[in-house]
Amino acid sequence: MIAGSAGASVALLLERRKAAGAFLAGVSLVTLASEHREKLEALYEKLPDYIEQGKRLLETASQIGEQVSQLAERRLG
């Protein structure tokens, strides 16, 4: 049921049927949460760490982009 509703959700979202896709995504998440409560709780507890890591990754990518841009300006200028 989880895989089926998740797959159907993706298909509907790709067809731009947002409401139906979001509904099926919710069904999939609720089913997943009811069957794997402990794992979901562990993920919820680690979520702030994952967000912080993602934030650091984006900051690093932004800094690299700025440095590449500056190097390109020096070579073209």
Side-chain angles (χ1 to χ4, degrees):
M1 181 168 174
I2 296 169
S5 60
S9 171
V10 169
L12 288 169
L13 288 171
L14 289 174
E15 292 178 0
R16 300 187 189 268
R17 296 180 63 192
K18 294 179 183 177
F23 175 75
L24 284 178
V27 168
S28 143
L29 288 174
V30 166
T31 306
L32 182 66
S34 68
E35 291 185 11
H36 301 283
R37 183 180 179 117
E38 298 83 20
K39 290 181 182 179
L40 196 62
E41 287 174 353
L43 175 66
Y44 183 76
E45 290 173 3
K46 293 179 183 178
L47 196 56
D49 295 333
Y50 292 145
I51 291 172
E52 185 61 33
Q53 289 175 358
K55 183 178 149 184
R56 278 189 265 136
L57 178 66
L58 289 175
E59 288 173 354
T60 302
S62 176
Q63 290 172 354
I64 291 170
E66 288 175 14
Q67 290 175 359
V68 168
S69 176
Q70 290 173 358
L71 286 172
E73 285 179 16
R74 285 185 208 153
R75 287 188 179 190
L76 294 175

